[in-house]
Amino acid sequence: MWQSSPPGSIYDYIRVASFSIGPDGLIEQWSSRAAGLFGMSSTEAIGRDPVEAFMPAELRSGGHRRVGEILDGKEWTGLVPFRMPGEGGAHGVAEVYVMPSLTGRGERAALCIVVDVRALRSIETDLAASQAIFGQSPFGFVLFGMDFAVVRANQRFATVFGGAADDHRGRTVEDYLPRAEADRLSATLKRVLETGESVTDLQLVGTTPGGTERRHWSMNLYRVHSGAGRPVGIAGLATDVTRRHIAAREAASARRNLALLNEASARIGNSLDLETTARELLDVAVPGFCDLATVDLYQGLLTGEEAAPGSWGPAHREPAGGSAELRRVAHASAVSDALPPAVAGSGTPGPDDLPPALGSVHRFPFGSPCAMALRSGRVEDVPGDEMGFVQSTLAVPMVAHDTVVGLVQFSRTKGSEPFGERDRALATELAARAAVCIDNARLYRREHERALILQRSLLPPGDPEAAGLDIACRYLPGNTATEVGGDWFDVIELPGHRTALVVGDVMGRGLRAAVAMGELRTAVRTLALLDLEPAEVLSALDEVARGLGSPGGGERSEVLGGSGGAQWPSRAAQKSREADLSEVYLATCVYAVYDPVTRRCTFANAGHLPPAVVEPGRAARLIDVPPGMPLGVGGEPFEEVEVELAENALLTLYTDGLVESRDQPLDEGLDALRAVLTGPQMELEDACDHVLSTLDTRHGEDDIALLMARIQGLPGEAVGDWTLPREPRSVGRARELARTQLVAWDLDDLVDTTELLVSELVTNALRYGEGEIRLRLLRDRTLVCEVWDAGLVQPRRRRARDTDEGGRGLQLVGLLSAAWGSRRTPRGKTVWFELALPDGAPAAELSVEQLLSMY
């Protein structure tokens, strides 16, 4: 029975062709395969000399001789070079088998079988490669037939599943894998065969023959085709990835732990509240690490004691009844029916052994794992309860800087994986991170309270008073979630009923910023008493601020080589100096001096926000004061701006906490301040409250200092001002003017004292001063007398000798006045004294010692 060869037979690969040579030596028959091999149709080939058609010219003589021998009846097999017909035809080598034959008339002819040598070499290479893949591959290689049975397997595959490679022929996937995995692989094989789409990294799980260990394999599958493209099976490459799977599982566990630690770093410690920090720890741990957990902190820690019980290492001794008192501050559970572990942690809880309620104060029994963990500072295993849900518990002490602050218990319920060594290490790390945050919160709370006490103690008490000014002020410290800042304000009385208004802000936070603020505030008050110009005050204050960042008191030296040797700074002193220099204190400040007589205010600014002023009936504006460099930078002079303020104008000084926050740019805050200041006039205290309640201050992000002053100049009838010529009779004229003015003010009780002291100051101005003399009397809360001249020599109080005729005038001024002093002016100096207004009581007489001190 005839049967056609299907496509993809061996003949398709080896490219066999045939043709015949007639008795005349010419091509008589030409097959289709010959036409394909040589690129010549039968019409072109039949009747041609094969030697002339296909062989090179240099080989043709030998070719003709060989063809003659074949036609004489000799068989021949050999390699024959040939070329394709036409110009530039390709050259090749053919293996030819020539068989003599006879025609119907008995003439000798030949039948030629031709094979392309290149095809043979290609088949040999493919067979060698196939053998190398199956025989030498380090991976399991298997070929499934169209019925999904094994057609061929290599030795590596047989090594895994037993027997020789030939023993696996005919087996199916059910012989190697469990039912579920076998069904999955069979479905995959069917899909690959039907669609031709390859499958990579198909994960399979099973056991080797006779083994019990679960193995993991990765399999790549692809459809195999014949030379004609017909599917003939599925090839599979299997790799044992059990170790890789174990390593991947461990790596995944490590990644989860690292992710958990990273999450802990981001989420624990965002609050400075102890209980909030404990809850943040449990938010991270449950359910990512355990099923339920609790946190207990020492009661002494929560109540703010300096040394919380249990925080002092091995030297700590537990009370006889168990641990020191702890408070349960946090509890979290991912299982609704599960309860936290019992206090004793030793099996089923009894009536007296129930878990503490949230917020309750309790003690751990002396012999319990929890108490032992607190004493030793090491993790302890707490047995699970037999009747409940808890399978295992870790009691982990919360240790920060060798300080035990509490205990956290991590529990896993039945059905979860028990805790391992890696889990113990992770639990310790989580507890330690939370403990550091809790201890830092405790230390911060203590420092914050101290800094706040210090800061408030340095601010002016109540509402300060000043001549010609109604003053209201507010100070709002940052809340407990932020550190204490360095904002401050001050109102300083100056001679001549003038007033210095100060608002400043030390950059930075915390106790050091509060201390620096106190030092700068004290320095401002000291400099103000020298009655310097505002720019000079800021220049001197800048030197003070730079000194705060340098070593105080100079460096200590050690004597090298004994007494009298060269002195060099010790290494410890050098390190201390470098540490001190690393602290740079910068501050901003506005210093203003207001004169109620002229209603003029002189401003100087060291990098601070500009003052705001609103005059009656006009919109609020910012005073253009050149913003110099902040205090502590140094090297730049400060400028002054003098502004005349209208009666009832409102002057506002403030710090940046009032107008700037993370959500509000500075320009928007200043615009909002001007808008809220512009409006109907209201009482000063109400105006302060209105500003704070209206502006979006985001209070709590920063401290806020607000100083508002209503301008109330001294009325003209409260000022007496005269210019006297430089001549002796001006002394008497000065006494007369002072007496007349005091009588007009109904201050008769002060006439004698004032006449005497005015006489002394005018006399000194004539004797030691220059230019014309100016006398001014000011009446407000006190009486102030000022004598002006153009001399630059400042008066100096000295003790007169018995033989001296003078030198006792300033002593008399100091004894009879409430205060006296002198200050420089742009055109000379001013000497002044101050007397308290009479209150109806008799004036105090000078003691004998006071009178004798003048002689």
Side-chain angles (χ1 to χ4, degrees), residues 515-741:
V515 171
M517 178 270 286
E519 294 181 352
L520 290 177
R521 178 179 179 272
T522 302
V524 170
R525 280 191 158 267
T526 302
L527 295 169
L529 294 179
L530 299 178
D531 212 354
L532 303 175
E533 296 297 323
E536 294 177 330
V537 170
L538 292 186
S539 295
L541 197 61
D542 178 63
E543 294 290 337
V544 173
R546 282 190 286 168
L548 295 179
S550 61
E555 295 181 353
R556 295 184 178 181
S557 300
E558 292 181 355
V559 178
L560 303 180
S563 176
Q567 294 185 350
W568 299 92
S570 68
R571 186 175 181 86
Q574 182 68 19
K575 289 184 177 180
S576 175
R577 179 178 182 275
E578 293 174 356
D580 288 339
L581 287 175
S582 66
E583 294 288 347
V584 178
Y585 290 93
L586 299 178
T588 62
C589 180
V590 167
Y591 186 87
V593 175
Y594 172 69
D595 188 344
V597 178
T598 62
R599 292 201 316 276
R600 287 185 171 273
C601 191
T602 304
F603 297 92
N605 189 352
H608 201 79
L609 297 175
V613 63
V614 54
E615 298 177 344
R618 303 183 64 180
R621 61 185 175 89
L622 299 178
I623 300 177
D624 187 12
V625 183
M629 300 298 291
L631 302 176
V633 175
E636 294 292 332
F638 298 96
E639 300 182 41
E640 293 181 358
V641 171
E642 187 177 66
V643 179
E644 183 175 352
L645 302 174
E647 188 77 11
N648 289 324
L650 182 62
L651 178 65
T652 303
L653 305 179
Y654 52 92
T655 57
D656 57 355
L658 183 69
V659 294
E660 186 178 22
S661 67
R662 286 193 297 264
D663 301 325
Q664 177 176 262
L666 179 59
D667 292 341
E668 294 182 8
L670 293 175
D671 292 341
L673 175 62
R674 288 196 295 267
V676 75
L677 290 176
T678 302
Q681 184 172 320
M682 60 182 67
E683 293 294 330
L684 201 55
E685 293 293 334
D686 296 337
C688 272
D689 295 336
H690 177 65
V691 169
L692 292 176
S693 61
T694 305
L695 291 180
D696 184 15
T697 61
R698 303 279 178 167
H699 177 54
E701 292 184 3
D702 196 3
D703 293 5
I704 296 176
L706 176 63
L707 178 61
M708 303 182 75
R710 181 84 67 189
I711 304 301
Q712 302 288 346
L714 285 180
E717 60 270 17
V719 180
D721 196 348
W722 306 275
T723 300
L724 303 174
R726 190 171 185 78
E727 54 187 30
R729 64 179 183 176
S730 293
V731 177
R733 177 61 177 163
R735 287 197 299 267
E736 179 183 354
L737 292 172
R739 180 175 58 253
T740 303
Q741 185 65 67

Side-chain angles (χ1 to χ4, degrees), residues 726 761-770 773 798 805-807:
R726 190 171 185 78
L761 295 188
V762 173
T763 300
N764 284 343
L766 288 172
R767 181 177 298 179
Y768 305 109
E770 299 177 5
I773 300 170
R798 63 183 179 86
E805 295 182 359

Side-chain angles (χ1 to χ4, degrees), residues 297-597:
L297 297 180
Y298 277 110
Q299 178 69 358
L301 182 79
L302 296 168
T303 55
E305 295 180 9
E306 280 295 316
S311 59
W312 313 210
H316 173 66
R317 293 293 180 267
E318 300 284 357
S323 68
E325 288 186 341
L326 298 103
R327 186 193 304 172
R328 180 143 295 178
V329 296
H331 165 65
S333 174
V335 184
S336 58
D337 295 333
L339 293 174
V343 173
S346 55
T348 306
D352 300 327
D353 205 21
L354 293 175
L358 187 64
S360 64
V361 178
H362 64 92
R363 299 177 186 269
F364 288 113
F366 183 81
S368 66
C370 294
M372 289 189 290
L374 290 171
R375 285 196 300 270
S376 65
R378 295 189 298 269
V379 181
E380 295 288 341
D381 291 309
V382 180
D385 51 2
E386 298 177 0
M387 302 297 294
F389 294 92
V390 177
Q391 175 181 224
S392 61
T393 299
L394 294 178
V396 187
M398 305 177 71
V399 183
H401 313 299
D402 296 329
T403 297
V404 180
V405 298
L407 183 81
V408 56
Q409 296 181 70
F410 301 107
S411 300
R412 288 181 178 174
T413 58
K414 293 181 178 179
S416 299
E417 184 178 352
F419 289 113
E421 285 302 318
R422 192 188 299 272
D423 296 323
R424 292 170 65 91
L426 179 59
T428 302
E429 180 65 22
L430 288 174
R433 294 195 180 197
V436 169
C437 295
I438 288 174
D439 194 50
N440 288 343
R442 175 182 68 87
L443 295 175
Y444 170 79
R445 183 176 61 183
R446 184 180 65 184
E447 179 179 331
H448 185 274
E449 291 173 353
R450 293 176 179 177
L452 197 57
I453 293 173
L454 172 63
Q455 192 175 38
R456 287 174 173 170
S457 68
L458 295 175
L459 295 174
D463 292 330
E465 296 181 354
L469 292 174
D470 290 337
I471 296 177
C473 50
R474 296 289 187 274
Y475 173 71
L476 301 179
N479 58 33
T480 55
T482 61
E483 295 188 60
V484 172
D487 295 14
W488 90 92
F489 66 89
D490 210 344
V491 178
I492 307 170
E493 293 187 60
L494 299 178
H497 287 315
R498 294 171 304 130
T499 303
L501 304 176
V502 188
V503 169
D505 183 5
V506 176
M507 299 181 187
R509 299 180 180 277
L511 185 60
R512 299 183 70 86
V515 171
M517 178 270 286
E519 294 181 352
L520 290 177
R521 178 179 179 272
T522 302
V524 170
R525 280 191 158 267
T526 302
L527 295 169
L529 294 179
L530 299 178
D531 212 354
L532 303 175
E533 296 297 323
E536 294 177 330
V537 170
L538 292 186
S539 295
L541 197 61
D542 178 63
E543 294 290 337
V544 173
R546 282 190 286 168
L548 295 179
S550 61
E555 295 181 353
R556 295 184 178 181
S557 300
E558 292 181 355
V559 178
L560 303 180
S563 176
Q567 294 185 350
W568 299 92
S570 68
R571 186 175 181 86
Q574 182 68 19
K575 289 184 177 180
S576 175
R577 179 178 182 275
E578 293 174 356
D580 288 339
L581 287 175
S582 66
E583 294 288 347
V584 178
Y585 290 93
L586 299 178
T588 62
C589 180
V590 167
Y591 186 87
V593 175
Y594 172 69
D595 188 344
V597 178

Side-chain angles (χ1 to χ4, degrees), residues 192 195-200 221-223:
V192 171
T195 64
E197 296 179 357
S198 60
V199 173
T200 58
L221 300 171
Y222 60 93
R223 192 169 68 183

Side-chain angles (χ1 to χ4, degrees), residues 211-287:
T212 57
E213 182 183 1
R214 286 169 57 88
R215 310 296 295 178
H216 295 262
W217 294 283
S218 172
M219 200 163 192
N220 299 329
L221 300 171
Y222 60 93
R223 192 169 68 183
V224 180
H225 302 84
S226 67
R230 180 176 60 88
V232 295
I234 303 122
L237 181 66
T239 306
D240 191 333
V241 294
T242 304
R243 291 185 179 179
R244 186 194 309 170
H245 183 80
I246 295 173
R249 185 172 57 186
E250 293 180 352
S253 176
R255 284 194 299 270
R256 285 194 301 270
N257 291 348
L258 289 176
L260 197 64
L261 290 176
N262 184 57
E263 183 183 5
S265 300
R267 297 180 59 183
I268 299 176
N270 293 321
S271 169
L272 291 172
D273 180 74
L274 303 181
E275 298 184 10
T276 301
T277 302
R279 288 193 294 270
E280 290 171 346
L281 168 61
L282 299 194
D283 290 341
V284 172
V286 179

